[in-house]
Amino acid sequence: MKGIKAVFFDAGGTLFQPHPSIGEIYAEVAGRHGLVIEPLHIEARFHTHWEKRDGLASLTNHSTPQVEREWWQSLVYDVFSEVGRFENFDGFFEELYDRFAGAGSWRLYPDALPILEKLKKKGKILGIVSNWDSRLLGICEGLGLTSCLDFILASAVVGVAKPHPDIFKEALRRAGVLPEEALHIGDSLKDDVWGAQQAGIPAIFVDRKGTRPSQTPSISSLQFLSGLFDN
């Protein structure tokens, strides 16, 4: 790690996660709009439709807040299409969309801020490279991450999504380093590990779920990064 000058991190699943969960938040807001649903069921439907669209990777052009809002409204409509009907779907969606824009619906992993602060003190250039929309900047600010970061790249804002190497190349440009002088950390083998490697950047898989992928450098917690930079 002696030659590493910059460390890039994925956001969701790496630094923070939904709180209490996507399904519970959906169910809570739906309940206030007259629809009772089971959190686990609606979360399963969310993931099904999310994967069908390949997540926010389908927002491949430079988006606007309005385009992002319409993308999410379409997704949420599909998620609830076979669950039940709202008297006022638009009202429900507006509350749900705003709910996820705030830091209150997200929770930092306990190991996130300590490692960012340690790496910052060691003079590393730190950035987030995430498949996300423009709300990511406000979420990071609300969670207290921004002061540790040199930049935040949200795919919908940059106009290209992981695993495409161009978003990683933009991170290298922002950091002012060569690929071999950077390290990327994330919880997706495809988007983070393979994507970074296609740009020539070494990567480490955050294996919080214990999947134990073979032949892939992995850690179960960000705290293990600390020892890599002690020397």
Side-chain angles (χ1 to χ4, degrees):
M1 295 294 110
K2 288 183 179 180
I4 299 299
K5 298 179 181 178
V7 184
F8 310 143
F9 292 87
D10 173 50
T14 299
L15 295 175
F16 55 83
Q17 62 182 329
H19 179 76
S21 72
I22 292 173
E24 289 174 278
I25 295 171
Y26 272 46
E28 176 193 333
V29 178
R32 283 199 291 274
H33 289 263
L35 183 62
V36 177
I37 54 175
E38 206 283 317
L40 290 177
H41 176 62
I42 203 64
E43 180 154 356
R45 286 189 56 81
F46 167 82
H47 287 298
T48 295
H49 285 280
W50 175 265
E51 290 168 6
K52 282 183 180 179
R53 295 172 180 241
D54 196 20
L56 280 169
S58 59
L59 273 175
T60 54
N61 296 319
H62 293 278
S63 68
T64 66
Q66 182 60 32
V67 169
E68 294 170 4
R69 184 179 291 269
E70 291 171 355
W71 187 94
W72 277 105
Q73 186 165 10
S74 175
L75 172 65
V76 173
Y77 183 86
D78 288 346
V79 169
F80 282 87
S81 61
E82 298 176 1
V83 176
R85 300 187 65 178
F86 292 96
E87 183 176 334
N88 180 6
F89 176 79
D90 289 346
F92 158 72
F93 173 73
E94 290 299 319
E95 181 179 345
L96 185 69
Y97 189 80
D98 291 343
R99 175 73 174 270
F100 278 100
S105 291
W106 305 94
R107 178 68 56 84
L108 282 174
Y109 288 107
D111 53 13
L113 203 53
I115 191 61
L116 290 177
E117 291 174 341
K118 177 168 184 175
L119 293 177
K120 195 66 178 175
K121 288 180 181 178
K122 287 183 171 292
K124 306 302 178 184
I125 300 167
L126 303 179
I128 283 180
V129 182
S130 179
N131 287 354
W132 212 283
D133 57 44
S134 59
R135 294 176 294 173
L136 179 60
L137 281 73
I139 293 170
C140 289
E141 179 69 33
L143 290 174
L145 294 173
T146 306
S147 61
C148 293
L149 300 169
D150 294 283
F151 61 86
I152 299 171
L153 296 184
S155 61
V157 178
V158 178
V160 63
K162 299 181 298 185
H164 198 288
D166 281 357
I167 193 169
F168 292 101
K169 291 177 182 178
E170 176 61 17
L172 293 172
R173 189 190 70 79
R174 298 278 186 102
V177 300
L178 299 172
E180 61 269 23
E181 295 174 326
L183 177 68
H184 181 71
I185 314 294
D187 71 317
S188 169
L189 288 172
K190 175 186 174 183
D191 292 343
D192 295 305
V193 177
W194 185 78
Q197 290 173 346
Q198 297 311 295
I201 301 172
I204 294 178
F205 177 60
V206 181
D207 187 16
R208 295 191 183 277
K209 297 180 180 179
T211 55
R212 298 182 180 179
S214 61
Q215 299 180 339
T216 300
S218 64
I219 54 176
S220 59
S221 169
L222 297 180
Q223 68 182 356
F224 291 110
L225 293 174
S226 182
L228 298 179
F229 290 93
D230 279 342
N231 296 324

